[in-house]
Structure formats: structure tokens, C-alpha cells
Amino acid sequence: GQQVMQIPQYQHVQEGEDFTTYCNSSTTLSNIQWYKQRPGGHPVFLIQLVKSGEVKKQKRLTFQFGEAKKNSSLHITATQTTDVGTYFCAGRGNFGNEKLTFGTGTRLTIIP
Amino acid sequence: GAGVSQSPSNKVTEKGKDVELRCDPISGHTALYWYRQSLGQGLEFLIYFQGNSAPDKSGLPSDRFSAERTGGSVSTLTIQRTQQEDSAVYLCASSPAGYEQFFGPGTRLTVL
């Protein structure tokens, strides 16, 4: 079955530093979504990427979808304490009503 | 409108007892997912309902776990003969087919 891996599993950064998490799928995806889960909360949708090579920005967050539609990345510029949480990618395969498969997640902690 | 709701929010039970967890999805959402999340861990997929299709039960960890979705709306996850390793937060999410998932607040299950 489809597997979605994320690296790193954990990342500790000084406030103001940049942060990147990488997502890799074992199969080609029709689209990829990103979610953020704050400590003690539930995952909340951030964005969906559909096109090969697509890049989308949300303020300090930049999301990329690979040309082969098998990998993606989330980059945060100049991290803030509000960025703390676990970031999950989630990919959907190409067949019909295929379910969304979540990645393993990257937990980001910020050192003030 | 109301989001995804789950009940109970917390459940403490004794080993060997059966428990039922309920999920009320957003009205009109055709897809419904159940996940399990242990402390500090990622999302473990359990089961996926999509419209009238047969559910994808590939994530259920044992035959003690079952789920149903009545009338394409409310879903119940049942765990029989609970074990201590079943302790976790159980998250439900719903979505329109192919779009973002909306998560409920989760049910924290503790098996003593």
C-alpha cells in the first residue's frame, strides 16, 4: 500500500531560524495536503497542492509539490513561537475514491 | 455551522470492557475517517468510509475493532475487550470527497 514518510521526525530551532520538512510518497500522488497540529489539539488543514511543480505561499510558509508528484516540502521562514506543533503531509493516490494517507509528521519545537 | 463532533471527550474503562466512540461528521460530507494517535505519535489510520462504497478497514489493528456508519452520517467505533495498549486519542475526520479533512476534537480513551 501507499506509504508517506516525512523527515525529520523532530526539529528544534532557535526562534527566527528557518525550518523545512520533507514528505516522500512511495507512489505518485494526485494531490497532497498539509496539516498542522498544535500541542493538545487536532490536525488543521493548511493547504492542498495539485499540480506538478506547484508552489504556494501563505505568509512565511512556502509549500512545494515535486515535479514527479511523489514528494513535497514545507518551508517556514523566520520561525515564531506560534509555529510550534507537528506538521503532517497527506497524499492521495490516483485511483478513484482512494483514501488520504498521512505522513509520519515532523514535530517542530522553537527555542525562544 | 457545526464542525465535527465526537463523544465522549474522555473515556476511562477497565481492561476487558467494551467501549463505543461516536463521531458526528459535518453534514453532507461523504468521506469519514477514524484515526488513532498515541501520545507524541503520528496518526494511525483505522478505517475509511466513502459514500456507499464498502469501507476500507485495512487499518483496524485487530478483530476487536469495528466501525459502522449509519445512513451515511454518524459513525460509531467499537472496541471490544479493551486492552491497555488501546489507550490513545481516537480522532474522527470528515470531508467532501477529495477535499480537506475536518477533524473532531477526539476521544481520549484510557484503559486501566
Side-chain angles (χ1 to χ4, degrees):
Chain A
Q2 181 182 52
Q3 292 186 326
V4 181
M5 302 298 293
Q6 279 182 257
I7 55 171
Q9 186 175 2
Y10 302 95
Q11 186 77 59
H12 312 282
V13 300
Q14 202 81 33
E15 186 175 9
E17 291 182 342
D18 293 355
F19 159 76
T20 304
T21 173
Y22 300 91
C23 177
N24 292 285
S25 170
S26 58
T27 59
T28 302
L29 302 171
S30 62
N31 60 65
I32 195 155
Q33 299 177 359
W34 284 90
Y35 292 77
K36 177 184 178 181
Q37 184 176 24
R38 293 180 184 272
H42 56 270
V44 175
F45 174 81
L46 294 176
I47 207 161
Q48 175 168 284
L49 305 171
V50 178
K51 300 176 183 177
S52 169
E54 188 171 12
V55 178
K56 287 189 176 180
K57 292 190 176 184
Q58 289 180 348
K59 298 183 180 179
R60 294 179 294 103
L61 278 61
T62 301
F63 304 84
Q64 291 188 326
F65 200 8
E67 294 289 340
K69 300 184 76 173
K70 293 183 71 174
N71 55 68
S72 181
S73 65
L74 159 58
H75 180 80
I76 303 178
T77 303
T79 54
Q80 300 175 359
T81 55
T82 53
D83 296 325
V84 165
T86 301
Y87 293 85
F88 292 98
C89 63
R92 191 184 310 278
N94 284 318
F95 302 102
N97 290 324
E98 201 162 331
K99 71 177 183 288
L100 200 64
T101 299
F102 274 79
T104 46
T106 296
R107 186 188 299 178
L108 173 65
T109 56
I110 307 289
I111 306 165
Chain B
V4 177
S5 61
Q6 292 186 244
S7 61
S9 55
N10 280 285
K11 177 71 177 179
V12 180
T13 190
E14 293 180 348
K15 178 181 173 180
K17 295 285 180 68
D18 297 352
V19 296
E20 283 191 353
L21 312 180
R22 177 186 169 105
C23 173
D24 284 85
I26 294 173
S27 177
H29 282 189
T30 57
L32 188 147
Y33 296 75
W34 282 98
Y35 299 93
R36 179 168 70 175
Q37 188 171 38
S38 300
L39 187 63
Q41 301 300 308
L43 297 171
E44 178 186 3
F45 165 76
L46 297 177
I47 189 167
Y48 164 52
F49 296 90
Q50 173 56 55
N52 295 321
S53 302
D56 178 348
K57 303 179 182 180
S58 61
L60 295 177
S62 76
D63 58 7
R64 297 186 295 106
F65 288 72
S66 62
E68 61 177 23
R69 188 179 185 191
T70 53
S73 182
V74 172
S75 178
T76 303
L77 176 69
T78 301
I79 309 173
Q80 295 179 311
R81 305 180 303 281
T82 51
Q83 304 294 313
Q84 289 183 333
E85 61 262 29
D86 299 335
S87 296
V89 175
Y90 289 80
L91 290 163
C92 171
S94 72
S95 76
Y99 292 91
E100 68 193 84
Q101 290 192 9
F102 294 82
F103 282 80
T107 294
R108 182 176 300 278
L109 175 65
T110 303
V111 182
L112 302 176

